[in-house]
Amino acid sequence: MQHKRNEQTTLTSPVLLKRVNKVLSTLRKHSIEQDDLLETLMLATLTKEHAIFIGPWGVNKTATIENFMHLIGANGDLFSVTIDNTTQPEALLGPYAPRELIEHDRYVRNIEGSILQSRYAFIGEVFNGNAATRHALHRVLNERKFENGGDTIDIPLQSAFFDSNQYPARKEDKPFYDRILFRANVRPTQSVETLQRILHCELMVRDADVTPPLLNAQMLRAIRKCIVSVTMTDIAEQEFLSLFVKLQAKDIALSPRRW
């Protein structure tokens, strides 16, 4: 009992904040000039929301996400797949079980090893896939539920991360895109100085590969308890409502879900 009390008292807000900042500072050593990417990853994780990163090939999106997952102690909880226009929903949700169909006339998926059993997911080149595969994720992302053989199951998914080389151009993709709260542009190297830093960085052993995890599931739960206790001030609420009016005046409409 004494050990449990000591463990709980160590998870104070300052200690947790220090750990969060340590994760970000460790990643910054080899994700050069990518603060938007790093902070978006962290915000999405701490709020159990989803995030998408849009940018060209070779700007370190995938490696950064993998290193981030290591530092929050979630490597074993990550479902990862890269899709294209031939990818079917089975690649994400699991294949149908033939025996269930033959013996019970039910379409039941075998969800073992799928996104439906993972706390985190990374889906690469998400807008290169077909609309049917993205549409199959709608309820998974929004409600964390899935219909399987007539039964509604709760799934453990906390945050899903996506990357893409392009913005969604088709109308049928807008509902999927709307479900992703956090969005960040990831740009290529902007200067000679940045390139020099990257070259030196690539010659070093990556800190994120050798650093033990700095956060864990218990710490993340404690942080989320702090987050839900935050209230919006009157000034912030007025600014928020003012923004709504300004966007309406410019015919910029957001869904109620995003507001």
Side-chain angles (χ1 to χ4, degrees):
M1 181 67 72
Q2 182 65 39
H3 171 73
K4 192 170 185 180
R5 273 202 302 268
N6 290 341
E7 190 174 291
Q8 289 175 343
T9 56
T10 61
L11 296 182
T12 61
S13 295
V15 169
L16 294 170
L17 180 59
K18 186 175 181 179
R19 289 297 186 101
V20 167
N21 287 331
K22 180 63 176 175
V23 170
L24 294 174
S25 64
T26 300
L27 289 170
R28 284 190 183 104
K29 293 178 181 178
H30 60 80
S31 295
I32 310 297
E33 284 191 357
Q34 291 186 345
D35 281 6
D36 283 352
L37 169 58
L38 302 180
E39 291 173 9
T40 301
L41 267 174
M42 184 62 79
L43 284 170
T45 300
L46 297 184
T47 57
K48 297 173 72 172
E49 288 288 350
H50 312 302
I52 187 168
F53 309 102
I54 299 176
W57 297 278
V59 291
N60 208 31
K61 298 190 296 291
T62 301
T64 298
I65 292 170
E66 290 174 350
N67 288 333
F68 175 79
M69 296 307 297
H70 165 71
L71 290 175
I72 67 169
N75 266 346
D77 293 315
L78 177 67
F79 171 85
S80 182
V81 65
T82 298
I83 65 176
D84 59 28
N85 60 4
T86 66
T87 303
Q88 297 302 308
E90 285 73 14
L92 283 71
L93 306 173
Y96 286 111
R99 180 174 293 181
E100 285 288 336
L101 181 59
I102 294 170
E103 296 181 359
H104 304 290
D105 197 27
R106 293 200 313 158
Y107 285 99
V108 178
R109 291 188 183 275
N110 177 7
I111 65 173
E112 186 175 353
S114 74
I115 191 175
L116 302 176
Q117 287 192 328
S118 304
R119 286 197 301 147
Y120 298 96
F122 171 50
I123 300 176
E125 310 297 347
V126 66
F127 289 118
N128 286 350
N130 57 67
T133 299
R134 287 187 293 276
H135 187 270
L137 291 175
H138 280 190
R139 195 176 184 195
V140 171
L141 297 178
N142 205 49
E143 301 173 39
R144 273 66 164 195
K145 294 181 182 295
F146 184 71
E147 295 284 345
N148 196 22
D151 298 324
T152 300
I153 60 175
D154 294 315
I155 63 174
L157 184 68
Q158 296 182 12
S159 295
F161 308 116
F162 306 91
D163 80 353
S164 176
N165 301 315
Q166 58 189 349
Y167 286 92
R170 293 165 292 198
K171 185 177 180 180
E172 60 265 30
D173 287 334
K174 298 303 173 65
F176 175 84
Y177 190 51
D178 191 71
R179 284 168 164 80
I180 306 173
L181 179 62
F182 290 102
R183 303 165 181 176
N185 294 313
V186 186
R187 300 180 301 169
T189 304
Q190 299 295 305
S191 67
V192 172
E193 291 77 12
T194 301
L195 181 58
Q196 285 181 311
R197 291 175 62 194
I198 292 173
L199 289 173
H200 285 288
C201 162
E202 294 297 331
L203 295 174
M204 296 186 297
V205 176
R206 293 194 164 196
D207 288 347
D209 293 340
V210 297
T211 302
L214 298 168
L215 291 171
N216 57 37
Q218 181 188 12
M219 293 176 181
L220 290 173
R221 285 194 296 270
I223 293 170
R224 288 163 184 155
K225 285 182 180 179
C226 296
I227 290 172
V228 298
S229 68
V230 175
T231 57
M232 183 180 286
T233 65
D234 291 341
I235 294 175
E237 183 175 344
Q238 289 304 313
E239 289 294 327
F240 183 79
L241 297 175
S242 175
L243 176 62
F244 176 82
V245 173
K246 290 175 182 177
L247 291 180
Q248 289 286 91
K250 295 178 180 292
D251 289 328
I252 299 175
L254 300 181
S255 69
R257 171 171 47 218
R258 290 197 64 78
W259 280 116

